[in-house]
Amino acid sequence: MPSSAVKGIQFLVMFPCSCPKKSWRDLAEPLSLLLLSGDIMGSVSQNLDQLLQMPFGCGEQNMVKFVPNSLVLQYLEKIKQVTPKIKQQLLEHMQSGYQRQLLYKHDNGSYSAFGKHDAEGNTWLTAFVARAFGQARAYIYIDEQHMKDAVTWLGQNQLPSGCFRSVGKLFNNQLKG
């Protein structure tokens, strides 16, 4: 069956679990749940509260919370499941995260976890910011100069081989993935 034929269809299967009762705090009949979906992003709508978070924290933490908002909005629009309330919440989160991220920008266009408190910007975070801002500008106002500054700085750190010099500290290696 073609994948498009099952897109949007979900099956919930409940079956008895043979787990030790102590691990389930002595529930009478522990069950395991298995959710099958024809859509790889099918569980997004059931877990929106975990994905839609107001960006906060240092420059890295802010971006880790910023990006899911634009990706979820893009996905919900494509499957025609976005509601005005959810869209407004996502847009507010993105606007707040964008403004907050500008606090971590260096004068040379790079970004770091603690902004000008750090001696220099970070290659990975700057690339992550440039990409995320590029995706988010479909939904919120992003000053194009911020993206140009980041790309220019990255270009100044590009080696003749095409690779980029790793500059600055990165605290969360998940940004590399």
Side-chain angles (χ1 to χ4, degrees), residues 7 12 20 36 56 62 73 83 93 98 114 130-131 147 154 175:
K7 189 171 188 162
L12 181 63
L36 304 173
F56 66 90
N62 186 65
L73 180 54
T83 65
H93 288 183
Y98 167 65
F114 301 106
R131 181 176 185 208
M147 291 187 303
L154 287 167
L175 291 178

Side-chain angles (χ1 to χ4, degrees), residues 4 134 155 162:
S4 61

Side-chain angles (χ1 to χ4, degrees), residues 56-63 100-101 103-106 110-123 125-126 129 168-172 175:
F56 66 90
C58 72
E60 292 178 18
Q61 293 166 332
N62 186 65
M63 289 309 295
R100 181 172 190 83
Q101 194 61 32
L103 298 173
Y104 305 110
K105 184 178 179 186
H106 291 254
S110 66
Y111 291 82
S112 68
F114 301 106
K116 294 178 183 176
H117 295 288
D118 291 324
E120 57 190 347
N122 176 269
T123 308
L125 182 57
T126 302
V129 168
K169 289 184 181 178
L170 185 68
F171 297 96
N172 184 345
L175 291 178

